[in-house]
């Protein structure tokens, strides 16, 4: 049969409509309209990180970090951009709290700069740094906003010899995290040990595009990864030892998630297997307390050197798992020994302003579902999700309808996960405002507030108005 043209189709529909053959809008049929509202206690927030927003890199005794050195090395960041000033949030935090208050968020995820607390990574704490964060936290609490704190979001004290290549850094991290937890757990109920292990290990030591910019051979990369997860595990123990009883401890991880290409049992199982194996050195190790056989076999002599007690620490039980979910990967079932094939991104894969940020909202649903099915965490949060956009300013407005499109689609998929009963309790949008986007400098904007970096003026974008309405109605809008 030949296909019918659009014009013919239009005519046919018009006739059918006139004859009353089409369902009338508003008339109930067997399908129920989607209820896109969230449970009453669902937490809405935004997220930021210290080096990306604070500036004030030489103030109040802060020690230099790997990112200060990296960003000041010619050729490492877009345009030579650095975090020296960033959003100047170190001085403007009270103004930023008002942005949060105006959005109506109940929560805010922020990170603490280790080198403000221990300028050399270890040794004597710097009370000025500690007091600064107490002021920031008090300001949030006074405004009815609950802080969720990340202890390490990539800004590593430069004085630590060998950085993440040195096992001692994991121990130094735990000492810092334990100390700081003791200082702030009267104000903070949720602490995340580290942010995105894959980034501060692989991107910095294998790919070389993040600090410290190394391209190490596989055995050394695996050792860095091991130190990365060990820091998390020792950190959990240290935080529990020093924080007030009841403090909830978790991690913010950017697990690589494989979305099944078709919703059939065989593809769903294949994608889940891919997710478990491809994260063997990170979240899988943390949730299972061991390196799975597939990983050890694949790495052979390059596998990490593990000391007695390491895996028990790495597998320390968590109160919650928080996920940073952005781009999807795809997998399908196949008849290879491992049972799945992964499908690479190609130029026609849609993406936002950052080339890596492939758009695939289903990853939001599958990420939550796969982590729940694989490891059954008690509580899940989305610690980051958001998008870069071009954000042209027209007569003082930024109508970022593309970012709203992205967010609406992802949050709809998180809703699906909540509706199906997975224990997702909150969502932190990345980011409250434009900021220093690592190697991309200030060229990629992820904020829902526009920042003019010359004047430091913050202006809500269309997406801020949209998110405010999501929060007000506690529903996808
Ligand atoms: C994540 C980082 C965060 C920010 C977003 C866009 O990988 O955790 O700091 O750069 O990406």
């Amino acid at each position: 049969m030949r296909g019918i043209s659009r014009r013919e189709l239009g005519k046919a529909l018009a006739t059918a409509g006139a004859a009353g053959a089409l369902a009338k809008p508003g008339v109930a049929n067997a399908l129920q309209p989607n209820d896109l509202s969230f449970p009453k206690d669902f937490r809405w927030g935004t997220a930021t990180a210290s080096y990306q927003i604070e500036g004030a890199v030489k103030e109040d005794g802060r020690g230099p970090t790997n990112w200060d050195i990296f960003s000041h090395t010619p050729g490492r960041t877009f345009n030579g951009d650095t975090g020296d000033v960033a959003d100047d949030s170190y001085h403007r935090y009270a103004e930023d709290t008002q942005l949060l208050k105006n959005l109506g968020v109940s929560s805010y995820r922020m990170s603490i700069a280790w080198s403000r607390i221990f300028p050399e990574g270890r040794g004597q704490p710097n009370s000025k740094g500690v007091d600064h964060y107490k002021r920031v936290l008090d300001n949030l609490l006074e405004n009815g906003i609950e802080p969720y704190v990340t202890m390490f979001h990539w800004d590593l004290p430069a004085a630590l010899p060998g950085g993440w290549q040195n096992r001692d850094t994991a121990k130094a991290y735990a000492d810092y995290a334990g100390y700081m937890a003791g200082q702030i757990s009267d104000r903070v109920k949720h602490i995340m040990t580290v942010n995105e292990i894959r980034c501060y290990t692989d991107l910095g030591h294998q790919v070389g595009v993040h600090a410290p910019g190394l391209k190490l051979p596989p055995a050394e990369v695996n050792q860095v990864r091991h130190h990365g997860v060990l820091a998390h595990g020792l950190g959990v123990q240290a935080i529990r030892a020093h924080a007030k009883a009841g403090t909830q401890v978790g991690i913010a991880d950017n697990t690589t998630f494989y979305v099944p290409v078709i919703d059939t049992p065989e593809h769903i199982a294949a994608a889940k297997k891919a997710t478990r194996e491809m994260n063997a050195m990170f979240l899988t190790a943390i949730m299972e307390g061991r390196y799975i056989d597939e990983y050890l076999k694949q790495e052979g002599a390059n596998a990490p050197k593990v000391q007695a007690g390491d895996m028990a620490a790495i597998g320390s039980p968590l109160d919650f798992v928080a996920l940073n979910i952005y781009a999807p990967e795809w997998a399908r079932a196949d008849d290879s020994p491992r049972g799945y094939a992964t499908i690479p991104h190609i130029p026609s894969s849609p993406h936002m302003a950052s080339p890596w940020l492939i758009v695939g909202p289903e990853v939001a649903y599958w990420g939550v579902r796969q982590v729940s099915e694989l490891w059954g965490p008690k509580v899940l949060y989305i610690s980051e999700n958001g998008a870069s956009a071009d954000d042209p300013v027209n007569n003082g407005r930024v109508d970022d309808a593309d970012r709203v499109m992205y967010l609406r689609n992802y949050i709809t998929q998180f809703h699906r996960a909540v509706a199906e009963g997975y224990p997702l309790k909150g969502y932190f949008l990345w980011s409250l405002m434009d900021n220093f986007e690592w190697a991309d400098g200030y060229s990629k904007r992820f904020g829902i507030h526009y920042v003019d970096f010359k004047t430091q003026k913050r202006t809500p974008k269309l997406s801020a108005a949209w998110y405010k309405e999501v929060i007000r109605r506690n529903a996808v809008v």
Side-chain angles (χ1 to χ4, degrees):
M1 206 181 81
R2 75 179 174 99
I4 63 169
S5 71
R6 275 190 211 186
R7 187 184 296 198
E8 285 165 336
L9 179 65
K11 250 201 228 160
L13 287 176
T15 322
L22 288 182
K24 293 197 186 73
V27 175
N29 58 24
L31 298 174
Q32 292 305 309
N34 262 348
D35 173 9
L36 291 179
S37 59
F38 281 78
K40 274 202 189 64
D41 57 352
F42 194 81
R43 304 205 73 90
W44 297 104
T46 68
T48 60
S50 47
Y51 189 68
Q52 293 179 275
I53 66 163
E54 285 180 351
V57 290
K58 297 205 169 127
E59 225 145 309
D60 290 341
R62 175 187 181 274
T65 69
N66 57 345
W67 269 96
D68 296 289
I69 294 172
F70 187 75
S71 64
H72 278 273
T73 307
R76 290 305 203 175
T77 63
F78 176 88
N79 197 34
D81 290 346
T82 73
D84 286 3
V85 179
D87 294 310
D88 193 31
S89 205
Y90 191 79
H91 300 115
R92 295 170 196 256
Y93 66 85
E95 184 187 333
D96 295 337
T97 299
Q98 292 311 307
L99 301 179
L100 291 162
K101 195 168 180 193
N102 185 48
L103 284 171
V105 296
S106 59
S107 318
Y108 176 54
R109 174 177 176 236
M110 53 175 273
S111 83
I112 288 182
W114 178 351
S115 78
R116 291 195 193 278
I117 310 305
F118 292 99
E120 304 205 328
R122 52 165 73 98
Q124 285 308 306
N126 169 30
S127 61
K128 284 189 175 165
V130 177
D131 291 347
H132 168 74
Y133 287 111
K134 288 184 176 170
R135 282 192 297 272
V136 173
L137 295 168
D138 286 343
N139 187 253
L140 289 165
L141 292 166
E142 282 156 18
N143 284 278
I145 297 162
E146 193 178 334
Y148 283 56
V149 166
T150 313
M151 288 293 189
F152 175 68
H153 198 126
W154 307 356
D155 38 0
L156 183 71
L160 291 169
W164 287 113
Q165 288 183 271
N166 186 343
R167 187 185 159 89
D168 292 346
T169 296
K171 177 76 176 60
Y173 165 78
D175 291 345
Y176 144 70
Y179 171 79
M180 201 52 195
Q183 293 293 312
I184 62 173
S185 65
D186 55 342
R187 295 162 167 89
V188 178
K189 295 200 194 84
H190 295 81
I191 296 181
M192 301 172 200
T193 52
V194 296
N195 179 72
E196 300 194 350
I197 301 179
R198 191 184 288 274
C199 289
Y200 65 83
T201 58
D202 288 17
L203 290 188
H205 302 82
Q206 181 186 47
V207 194
V209 294
H210 278 188
L214 303 175
K215 292 183 182 172
L216 300 175
E220 290 177 46
V221 171
N222 281 329
Q223 203 57 39
V224 166
R225 292 167 167 171
H226 182 67
H227 299 156
V229 285
L230 182 61
H232 155 79
L234 296 175
V236 175
Q237 296 179 340
I239 294 166
R240 290 209 195 287
H242 292 90
K244 259 177 61 178
T247 304
Q248 303 291 292
V249 186
I251 186 174
D253 189 54
N254 62 330
T255 314
T256 305
F257 287 114
Y258 289 82
V259 172
V261 283
I262 311 175
D263 281 21
T264 58
E266 46 159 354
H267 292 303
I268 291 172
K272 189 159 84 178
K273 189 163 191 285
T275 293
R276 178 170 177 264
E277 291 179 16
M278 295 298 193
N279 294 282
M281 54 304 232
F282 305 119
L283 195 62
T284 305
I286 288 168
M287 299 310 284
E288 302 189 20
R290 67 189 183 102
Y291 290 125
I292 59 175
D293 298 343
E294 292 84 346
Y295 170 61
L296 293 176
K297 203 169 142 206
Q298 177 192 297
E299 297 303 317
N302 292 326
K305 297 194 175 35
V306 176
Q307 295 188 11
D310 286 4
M311 297 316 296
I314 290 167
S316 299
L318 299 177
D319 299 304
F320 65 89
V321 171
L323 301 167
N324 295 358
I325 299 190
Y326 291 93
E329 300 295 328
W330 293 296
R332 62 177 171 80
D334 77 354
D335 48 19
S336 65
R338 65 181 190 178
Y340 60 85
T342 60
I343 299 171
H345 297 308
I346 51 176
S348 61
S349 307
H351 64 80
M352 298 298 289
S354 309
W356 60 266
L357 188 36
I358 306 291
V359 179
E362 310 87 329
V363 69
Y365 166 75
W366 287 103
V368 172
R369 175 167 159 179
Q370 288 176 342
V371 168
S372 302
E373 288 184 359
L374 284 166
W375 303 301
K378 285 178 265 184
V379 170
L380 284 162
Y381 290 100
I382 301 306
S383 32
E384 285 181 29
N385 168 245
S388 49
D390 289 347
D391 291 341
V393 185
N394 285 318
N395 296 323
R397 287 188 60 92
V398 179
D399 284 322
D400 53 343
D402 51 349
R403 180 179 284 108
V404 171
M405 175 278 299
Y406 173 101
L407 293 169
R408 181 186 287 123
N409 278 284
Y410 274 69
I411 295 179
T412 301
Q413 293 286 325
F414 288 125
H415 179 272
R416 180 181 171 199
V418 174
E420 290 184 16
Y422 298 108
L424 178 61
K425 302 294 180 198
Y427 171 91
F428 294 84
L429 195 159
W430 184 275
S431 181
L432 172 64
M433 56 193 165
D434 300 331
N435 55 49
F436 176 76
E437 177 50 20
W438 308 112
D440 289 331
Y442 298 98
S443 70
K444 297 288 181 250
R445 294 178 176 271
F446 273 82
I448 57 173
H449 291 90
Y450 187 91
V451 178
D452 177 338
F453 292 104
K454 288 202 190 76
T455 62
Q456 292 296 346
K457 184 166 183 257
R458 285 97 157 109
T459 307
K461 303 178 190 176
L462 176 67
S463 53
W466 175 81
Y467 192 44
K468 185 172 176 165
E469 190 63 10
V470 169
I471 296 167
R472 194 180 71 79
R473 286 168 42 191
N474 197 31
V476 185
V477 298

